[in-house]
Amino acid sequence: MSFELAACLVTMFGLAGIGTPIGYSIILASLVYLGFAGLDLALAGEKILQGLYKSFVLLAVPLFIAAANIMNAGTISERLLNFCVAAVGRFRGGLGHVNVVASLIFSGMSGSAVADAAGIGKIIIEMMTKDGRYSRGYAAAITAATATIGPIIPPSIPMVLYALVSNSSIGALFLAGIVPGLVMGVVLMGMNTYLSTKRGFALEEPVPLRKLPKYTLNAFPALMMPVILLYGIYGGVTTPTEAAAVAAFYAFLLAAVFYRALTVKSLYSIFVESARSSSAVGLVIGGALILNFVVVSENIPGMMSEALVGLNVHPLVFLLGVNVIILLLGCVLDATTIILVIVPLFIPTCRELGIDLVHFGVLVVVNSMIGLITPPYGILLFVINAVTGIPLREMISEIWAFLGVLIAALLLMILFPDIVLWLPRLFGYQG
Amino acid sequence: MTFLKTWFPRGAEFIAAAMLAAMFLTFLLQIFSRYVLQTPFGWTLELCLTLWVWIVFFGNAFIVKERDHVTFDIFYLAAPRKVRQALALISAAAIVIGMVWAFLPTWDYINWMKMRKSATLKIPLRTIFSIYALFMIAVAARYAWRFYTVWKSGPPDSDHEIPGHEPEPPAIRHGEDAT
């Protein structure tokens, strides 16, 4: 390892470790690297500016953020929820199932797990804890667990970020997420049924079947959103990035015109908050761009892949190892940092070992979403704590069972790549 | 002082929101021109990319608050108040030094980009990239101010809160709600 690289890493981990914003830590560390290597300091700004200015795919990030915020502000989430209660609320553990199904549908509209937990999650936790039918911890835990599906089923902001660092097709990645998302939904429903039966949770008053058409009709325009998005992307009408704009526009139409639940004032604050979020994420993306330059100049991924290929590591062992590392990192780091900073290190090795980059991408995204609910640093737990006031301790004591089945689902996806790759191959993905 | 405290942030928020709204509308126009008019406007994509660069750096310069940043603060929050003050001072000082140190070389690069023009709108790239220079100045100034306030009155406790709620630390930040 060169001296300048060591200085760079010490600066980065040192500053980030004491609470300096990650984006600034990376930029400062890369300046230290450039300074010691005798290179022009302007390279940092140049790589960041050129990288942001040339990445068309990144435009999807602010647009998906705005779309998710619009959907949460309108009454779209409530309507979807009423539909789900009518459809699956009658079974044992009913509201738990409603939670999973609502997340599955919502994930086809938004690309963010946090939006899911803060919007639809907040409402359903209120329904579940009313009259004490479910404990607060259980309601919060299952909501956090189901919210992880959000970015697995397209659209997905983390997958856009992965596509940026791996140069793989967003279209293929989006398609590849659909079946894994459904698998996650199924295992969560299984665990919910098991726990509800064991603990004898109360049954819901079933909504009469003849009322189902009314609820369906009410939620129908919202239910059309995933269909429109997928048709747009795979029917060749829009690029995945343009689909983000269409999603935001459709959400706006629904909330403002159709459901009349959006005022000018709330729309304005949605744009302000979305701009704030996009800027904060953009800074980390910028940091990742310059860090990537440092990592490539030092040929770190090349050295890693040489070492691992030299050791004759079986691809499956490599995948399991990487997933264990990401799972552990997920306990302390947020998903954006993992995908943008850690994952690029492994990509050349994947190529050498013949691991499909779309398969790897879905595993990485699923894994880092599981990281959103692993204590002590689980962003979804913090969001739910912030919007409902349920103590972290109660959530964490209930999260383990759901965490377990999600990790089991991840293991299935590692062992059987067809779960991930079957659908994109059906649509002509060569890989 | 009231100007700096209330009107400046509001104005900055308005500009950022307007840029995001403009980007959104330009995108819709692009889709419309391609599929309805069948003659795609070349300039829409370039405008969106320019706005994106501006939203990121204008936003970080003026509207992203300390608590909105993606941070790793397990150690920071676990530390006693005195230690936290020292850590916050080190962070702020490092950012100021870094931004000041890199400013002139970076400005040289941005200034040199006046030779290059953007592909369709023929705007000098210096104009587009100049927001990065503004960002560096603003960030240096903000963290110099933060250094001063943390030095005088200790680390603010509001860095990890969401307005209107009383979450347990560590709470969610804006940069993290993208995923």
Side-chain angles (χ1 to χ4, degrees), chain B residues 83-157:
Chain B
V83 180
R84 256 191 298 162
Q85 181 176 19
L87 297 181
L89 287 175
I90 296 172
S91 291
I95 293 173
V96 175
I97 293 169
M99 290 295 158
V100 171
W101 182 36
F103 183 77
L104 281 180
T106 309
W107 174 250
D108 274 347
Y109 163 74
I110 293 171
N111 191 32
W112 176 75
M113 291 305 278
K114 71 181 172 221
M115 327 264 273
R116 301 265 298 273
K117 298 226 164 39
S118 68
T120 46
L121 291 175
K122 303 293 173 209
I123 304 171
L125 286 184
R126 179 174 74 172
T127 314
I128 296 169
F129 289 178
S130 61
I131 188 67
Y132 191 75
L134 186 65
F135 156 81
M136 292 179 87
I137 296 171
V139 168
R142 278 177 66 164
Y143 280 93
W145 176 249
R146 184 173 157 84
F147 186 90
Y148 172 75
T149 50
V150 172
W151 181 270
K152 277 200 79 171
S153 43
D157 298 321

Side-chain angles (χ1 to χ4, degrees), chain A residues 318-343:
Chain A
F318 172 76
L319 274 184
L320 289 170
V322 169
N323 274 287
V324 170
I325 293 173
I326 296 179
L327 216 47
L328 291 177
L329 286 173
C331 296
V332 289
L333 286 177
D334 75 292
T336 317
T337 314
I338 291 178
I339 294 172
L340 288 173
V341 179
I342 310 290
V343 167

